Amino acid sequence: MSGSGLGAAIDAFSEVSLDIPGLFIWKLEGRRLHLVEANDHGFLLEGTAYIVLQISQDKTSSLHFWTGKNATENDVTNIHDLAHELDATVCRASIFSREVQGHESLCFLRLFPEGLVYLEGGPHTSLSRTARYVKRLYVVTGRKHVRAACERPKVSALDPSVAVILDGYPRVYVWIGSKCGYVTRVKAIQVARRIRNWQREGKAHVVVIDEKDEELNKSFLKKLDDEREESPVHNQMNGHSCTDRTEETITLHRVSGDRVLYDMPYAARKPLQYKYLVSSSCYLLDTGPDNPLFLWVGSHAPVSEVSNAISRGKTFAEHKEYPSNVNVFRVLEGHEPLVFRQAFNDWRDRPQSQTRKYSAGNMGRALFSRSSKRAVAKVGDTLSEDVVEESDISTDEQLEVYVLKGNALEYVERWSNGSFSNGQCYIINNQHLDDRHCKRILYYWMGSKASEADRSRIVELAMVMEEAYHQNTAMVRVLDGKEPSHMLNVLGNAMIVFDKDLEETSPSVQVFSVREFIKGNIRVAQVPPTAASLNSSAAFVVISPDECFLWYGRRSGGPEREYAKYILGYLHPCKMYDYDIVTETKETEVFWSVLGGRLQYEADYITTRLERRNPRLFHCSVEVSEFSFDETVDFSQEDFTEQDLMLFDTFDQIFLWCGTNIDSNTRHLFGDVAQTYLAKDQAGRNSRDIQLWYICQGHEPHGFTKYFRSWTPTGFGGKDVYNLARKRVRQENARIDISSDILDRAHVVKVKYPYKTLVKGELPPDVDPANKQHHLTDKDFLEVVRVSRFQFCQLPKWKQNQILKMAHLTSGHSTSVSTPLSDKLSIPSLSLHLQS
């Protein structure tokens, strides 16, 4: 870009400062930038480019440059240079990205909570108001953050899964597809109201038409052109979903200068770890052609790495033959977005919105800001270990245990000491009182040596039991060795797991490890009777026909040693007072002979525990055997509706939330949904390390609801919110007078010709063949059409076409007119055309 262009850019940015928070948008017109008014935010012209800058209260910023699908190559180059000039002179943006129409990232879409509206036009097109009327049709796609794409008003644009807005003066119609979700329906109504207020200055009625309005549907179809052709709009929108396709290779490259086309070294492959990122370097994270491309710049990296990151990312994408619309991000160290952090297996999140606003002194009472759309919870609460509400009734009354034998469940009559076998599967039904209402949690426990058939069967039986309780439960999958603390609390803070193989062989020597599992909970497990089974971090009970030993590892604690004495009395009551205590390094030869001799053993247990992270919410779509997941950011309770299947991911836990209107077939697919989601996990998590919950609408546990700002029994979105939105627009319509003279004024700037000239075969070069009526004077128009322009604009589209056809004013019609107009035309009277 020339120096004069950059100078103009600096002038355009002169009023921007990191001390002034807010959203700033500039539109490119030639080589100059013009600041967009706040009322026009979210309305983007397809033939130009924009710069979007968001400045937060803490003086951090995110910068994006957006190009429309009809923008020229010069526009693309100019907006790239101007955005980098803004980044260098005004703010060093924490997040800097390239955005393309129809494929915007969530980081960009969340800046426009009311949605994006694409308009036809180029750089010098002004956003029209009531001065000019042009009938437009918008196809609304997306869910929480919608996009409305403008296209020709034709029948082929209608699709059962989308909402359509027709700006048909003096009414704005919202057509709702039968398969369109309630969240999208409400968002489409909000977009229609904004179009009414923005383009019609509030002087139009909003009419909502859904699958129940048969008569309105018939009338609406007549307003559209009946052209049966495939609409390209639905295919160009990127829903930010991950579908069941071949897994992409996730790689981390170390960027060395401009060597992005070849010889760029791999830093790591999936699973990625945070230690691979070095502050003095720049790295490129490649997660596949359908996902954003990230350039991570360390805090001590050279300035050239910061300035050239976007260009190098574009070069890399071209070399890999990725689509031209792939998003390219530059992120600075310490300001990584959630979608970037999620690709690393060991990334530890800090709730930044809290740590920035509260000091260490008041951290214990710090709550999320009121402006935050996340949970209202204490700092240590949402990322802490979950607890289950305690009951006021006794343990015997609230706990039921079933074991799977064959294909049926068998009730365990005498349940004591939490005894399990790792060759079987169990269901623990825990019920407790909460505000005089009985709540249940079903744990289905899978032994590590249980057969695949038993594992599948226990899930089916758990679902049957859940349906028997009318979905008034929460189900938790528990794997052997991965028991959560709240389950151990239900079992009396302890459990014992017998080994299937050792039970079958019945060895003369039995060995049990006793270790503190999680926060005071004790887990006892039967292990092979060899010295290799010992561990310095636990206590062990060794039982032989002649001798009994309690072996204490040097790292074992008091609770483990005391519980070893207790469990000995349970396992071998006659030996509960006849045993020898052996501490590590003080073993006798008799002890080693019982275990078959000395062997090397471990000093500590190697366990994999995922750190809890800030949660992510996904809307799950199930079609035949394919699953897709659309992420929802800035989520709230209203994002959950009765017809939705949602997935809530806290990295160490996955909650599958099911609405009340989900059919039973979809409910039984919840295991497949979680498996498909984890198969596409960029961090490479193992399913064994994740706790899986299945919860139903209205019966959410505290471990789930604590992540939300507020959670009430009636706070869900869905049909009620949709009906309330419809009621609101009806009330607004009653207060709006649409009889005011707001008409199509496109004819004002058209050259006027006599009627005879317009119906001849050869038309003057400046006549629009598709709109010959615009070239008539008001007097000729009234004489030919027999109605005023205002009355003509109020007619449905099909009636307008009929009148113009009879007047020979449609393209393809020509005649020879030599007599007065009134003698040549026979136009039906106004009463036959006007709607009642």
Side-chain angles (χ1 to χ4, degrees):
M1 173 170 276
S2 64
S4 60
L6 292 178
I10 295 176
D11 294 339
F13 304 144
S14 59
E15 298 182 0
V16 180
S17 171
L18 291 177
D19 296 327
I20 306 176
L23 181 65
F24 302 89
I25 301 177
W26 294 269
K27 183 179 73 169
L28 179 65
E29 295 185 7
R31 293 185 177 181
R32 293 183 175 274
L33 291 174
H34 294 272
L35 188 64
V36 178
E37 298 179 5
N39 291 335
D40 294 336
H41 287 182
F43 293 93
L44 303 177
L45 293 168
E46 296 178 334
T48 188
Y50 291 83
I51 292 178
V52 179
L53 173 64
Q54 170 70 34
I55 300 177
S56 304
Q57 294 283 351
D58 57 2
K59 297 185 179 182
T60 60
S61 60
S62 63
L63 180 62
H64 316 268
F65 61 97
W66 180 95
T67 56
K69 65 179 183 179
N70 297 328
T72 64
E73 289 297 328
N74 288 336
D75 290 340
V76 174
T77 302
N78 290 339
I79 203 68
H80 174 276
D81 295 340
L82 291 170
H84 280 78
E85 184 67 21
L86 173 61
D87 179 62
T89 58
V90 179
C91 65
R92 184 61 75 185
S94 304
I95 298 176
F96 187 14
S97 74
R98 180 192 72 171
E99 307 286 343
V100 181
Q101 178 182 343
H103 301 272
E104 295 87 352
S105 65
L106 285 173
C107 292
F108 183 81
L109 290 175
R110 70 189 305 174
L111 301 178
F112 305 94
E114 296 182 345
L116 291 177
V117 180
Y118 305 136
L119 299 176
E120 296 175 330
H124 301 287
T125 303
S126 61
L127 299 180
S128 60
R129 297 293 190 268
T130 54
R132 181 184 177 189
Y133 167 68
V134 178
K135 181 174 288 188
R136 289 191 178 98
L137 184 136
Y138 304 90
V139 178
V140 181
T141 56
R143 197 169 181 273
K144 175 123 184 193
H145 296 89
V146 297
R147 285 170 284 196
C150 183
E151 68 169 67
R152 289 180 55 197
K154 55 182 182 293
V155 175
S156 60
L158 305 183
D159 186 273
S161 61
V162 302
V164 168
I165 299 173
L166 178 64
D167 184 4
Y169 168 79
R171 297 174 180 85
V172 177
Y173 298 91
V174 183
W175 182 89
I176 307 292
S178 58
K179 297 181 180 179
C180 186
Y182 284 120
V183 175
T184 305
R185 295 182 181 207
V186 174
K187 284 293 181 179
I189 294 175
Q190 293 177 357
V191 173
R193 294 177 63 245
R194 192 175 181 213
I195 290 175
R196 176 198 64 192
N197 298 335
W198 163 77
Q199 191 173 12
R200 300 292 168 230
E201 293 186 349
K203 298 178 181 178
H205 285 178
V206 176
V207 181
V208 183
I209 306 170
D210 60 19
E211 65 275 9
K212 297 180 181 179
D213 306 316
E214 296 182 3
E215 293 300 325
L216 286 177
N217 266 286
K218 294 178 182 179
S219 301
F220 179 77
L221 292 177
K222 295 179 181 179
K223 301 178 183 297
L224 306 178
D225 298 333
D226 190 11
E227 297 181 9
R228 302 290 179 175
E229 60 183 37
E230 185 179 357
S231 174
V233 175
H234 314 314
N235 298 326
Q236 75 176 13
M237 294 300 176
N238 178 9
H240 302 281
S241 63
C242 73
T243 54
D244 191 10
R245 53 180 173 79
T246 304
E247 183 177 357
E248 300 292 348
T249 301
I250 298 176
T251 55
L252 185 69
H253 300 268
R254 183 178 180 273
V255 180
S256 178
D258 293 323
R259 294 159 57 189
V260 295
L261 293 182
Y262 62 92
D263 196 29
M264 186 167 63
Y266 285 103
R269 286 184 171 90
K270 177 182 176 180
L272 304 180
Q273 296 183 9
Y274 179 70
K275 66 181 181 181
Y276 298 139
L277 301 176
V278 181
S279 297
S280 59
S281 299
C282 177
Y283 294 85
L284 186 148
L285 176 62
D286 177 18
T287 58
D290 297 335
N291 298 315
L293 197 64
F294 289 97
L295 276 298
W296 183 90
V297 182
S299 57
H300 301 296
V303 177
S304 60
E305 302 289 348
V306 181
S307 304
N308 299 327
I310 296 292
S311 299
R312 290 169 179 169
K314 291 169 61 178
T315 304
F316 178 85
E318 293 171 359
H319 174 65
K320 298 279 286 187
E321 297 182 351
Y322 285 172
S324 59
N325 52 38
V326 65
N327 301 121
V328 180
F329 276 79
R330 185 203 70 196
V331 296
L332 301 184
E333 182 179 3
H335 301 279
E336 300 84 357
L338 183 59
V339 66
F340 177 87
R341 304 195 301 266
Q342 200 73 11
F344 291 81
N345 188 272
D346 62 343
W347 197 289
R348 287 178 173 83
D349 280 332
R350 291 185 304 168
Q352 296 183 4
S353 61
Q354 303 154 6
T355 57
R356 290 174 181 169
K357 295 183 179 180
Y358 300 99
S359 63
N362 62 2
M363 186 67 74
R365 61 182 176 83
L367 299 179
F368 281 100
S369 168
R370 293 191 181 210
S371 62
S372 173
K373 294 181 175 61
R374 295 286 180 167
V376 170
K378 291 183 179 180
V379 171
D381 189 12
T382 57
L383 304 182
S384 64
E385 185 68 30
D386 298 314
V387 295
V388 175
E389 298 88 346
E390 296 183 358
S391 170
D392 294 332
I393 55 180
S394 65
T395 303
D396 293 337
E397 294 176 338
Q398 72 167 348
L399 192 63
E400 297 176 352
V401 180
Y402 301 85
V403 60
L404 177 63
K405 291 188 176 181
N407 284 326
L409 291 176
E410 181 179 305
Y411 179 68
V412 181
E413 292 289 345
R414 295 182 179 180
W415 180 257
S416 59
N417 291 292
S419 300
F420 294 83
S421 171
N422 63 7
Q424 294 178 310
C425 296
Y426 297 78
I427 290 181
I428 299 98
N429 179 10
N430 176 51
Q431 54 185 358
H432 56 276
L433 292 177
D434 182 21
D435 295 333
R436 298 184 179 181
H437 295 284
C438 183
K439 292 188 175 182
R440 293 181 178 86
I441 295 183
L442 296 180
Y443 301 94
Y444 59 97
W445 186 90
M446 299 179 177
S448 58
K449 297 183 179 180
S451 65
E452 288 298 326
D454 286 351
R455 288 168 175 263
S456 300
R457 183 58 178 165
I458 198 68
V459 176
E460 296 174 0
L461 293 174
M463 291 296 298
V464 171
M465 185 177 292
E466 188 257 355
E467 292 176 356
Y469 289 123
H470 307 288
Q471 285 82 41
N472 185 18
T473 61
M475 290 195 334
V476 188
R477 184 197 69 173
V478 181
L479 301 180
D480 185 9
K482 299 291 183 178
E483 294 82 8
S485 61
H486 50 84
M487 174 186 164
L488 293 173
N489 292 338
V490 168
L491 298 177
N493 303 107
M495 67 181 299
I496 179 171
V497 181
F498 292 93
D499 187 87
K500 171 189 174 183
D501 298 334
L502 296 177
E503 284 184 305
E504 293 176 351
T505 57
S506 300
S508 58
V509 178
Q510 293 180 315
V511 180
F512 296 85
S513 66
V514 182
R515 66 188 182 104
E516 189 174 13
F517 198 53
I518 302 175
K519 296 182 180 179
N521 294 302
I522 302 295
R523 190 178 192 275
V524 181
Q526 188 177 10
V527 296
T530 65
S533 299
L534 301 178
N535 192 295
S536 301
S537 299
F540 285 81
V541 178
V542 182
I543 303 174
S544 69
D546 301 323
E547 301 286 344
C548 184
F549 300 95
L550 298 183
W551 184 86
Y552 297 154
R554 64 179 182 272
R555 297 183 181 180
S556 61
E560 295 164 325
R561 299 183 180 190
E562 289 300 318
Y563 198 81
K565 300 175 184 178
Y566 169 78
I567 203 66
L568 174 62
Y570 170 76
L571 296 171
H572 208 310
C574 61
K575 294 283 187 179
M576 62 183 304
Y577 300 112
D578 184 14
Y579 56 86
D580 293 328
I581 295 178
V582 179
T583 58
E584 189 174 6
T585 71
K586 303 291 183 181
E587 299 88 353
T588 63
E589 290 300 325
V590 176
F591 175 81
W592 291 122
S593 64
V594 171
L595 295 179
R598 294 173 181 265
L599 291 173
Q600 191 74 23
Y601 56 84
E602 298 291 336
D604 204 348
Y605 288 97
I606 301 176
T607 58
T608 303
R609 283 184 58 83
L610 299 176
E611 293 288 337
R612 186 159 301 180
R613 301 185 182 180
N614 291 331
R616 302 174 73 186
L617 178 66
F618 296 86
H619 175 257
C620 308
S621 299
V622 182
E623 296 182 4
V624 191
S625 59
E626 295 185 355
F627 307 98
S628 62
F629 306 91
D630 295 333
E631 184 169 6
T632 300
V633 295
D634 301 330
F635 51 78
S636 65
Q637 188 181 358
E638 283 196 2
D639 295 316
F640 295 79
T641 73
E642 59 267 25
Q643 61 179 196
D644 289 334
L645 179 64
M646 309 294 289
L647 187 146
F648 193 74
D649 184 7
T650 64
F651 203 74
D652 67 325
Q653 296 181 115
I654 289 179
F655 296 86
L656 282 171
W657 183 93
C658 190
T660 55
N661 290 349
I662 295 294
D663 59 90
S664 59
N665 293 332
T666 304
R667 291 177 185 272
H668 286 270
L669 291 175
F670 82 97
D672 297 333
V673 172
Q675 182 178 358
T676 303
Y677 174 76
L678 288 175
K680 308 304 299 181
D681 180 44
Q682 295 182 355
R685 287 174 288 175
N686 192 325
S687 176
R688 280 189 50 81
D689 301 327
I690 298 176
Q691 189 181 134
L692 181 61
W693 289 70
Y694 174 80
I695 55 181
C696 295
Q697 181 177 357
H699 307 287
E700 298 82 3
H702 172 71
F704 176 81
T705 59
K706 69 181 182 180
Y707 291 98
F708 295 83
R709 179 180 191 143
S710 63
W711 192 277
T712 63
T714 59
F716 299 100
K719 187 176 181 179
D720 292 340
V721 177
Y722 167 63
N723 289 334
L724 185 62
R726 294 193 65 171
K727 180 180 179 181
R728 180 180 180 182
V729 296
R730 288 196 298 267
Q731 293 173 342
E732 292 173 345
N733 291 344
R735 296 191 296 267
I736 297 174
D737 181 15
I738 61 173
S739 62
S740 57
D741 188 7
I742 307 173
L743 66 141
D744 184 354
R745 299 189 181 276
H747 68 282
V748 174
V749 296
K750 300 294 184 181
V751 179
K752 300 300 185 284
Y753 289 97
Y755 175 70
K756 294 180 181 182
T757 305
L758 297 176
V759 296
K760 288 181 178 180
E762 294 185 6
L763 295 174
D766 53 357
V767 171
D768 181 7
N771 295 285
K772 297 179 182 179
Q773 70 276 12
H774 290 340
H775 299 274
L776 290 171
T777 64
D778 290 342
K779 180 179 179 181
D780 288 346
F781 187 92
L782 181 60
E783 189 174 357
V784 172
V785 181
R786 298 292 181 87
V787 293
S788 66
R789 292 187 189 272
F790 174 72
Q791 293 169 327
F792 179 79
C793 289
Q794 288 183 305
L795 298 177
K797 180 67 175 179
W798 68 272
K799 288 188 178 181
Q800 293 181 8
N801 292 336
Q802 182 184 27
I803 294 175
L804 295 177
K805 184 177 180 180
M806 294 175 64
H808 305 291
L809 290 175
T810 57
S811 58
H813 286 80
S814 62
T815 184
S816 177
V817 181
S818 58
T819 56
L821 299 176
S822 57
D823 296 335
K824 289 295 179 182
L825 296 175
S826 177
I827 306 298
S829 63
L830 178 61
S831 61
L832 295 179
H833 294 288
L834 294 179
Q835 289 180 319
S836 59

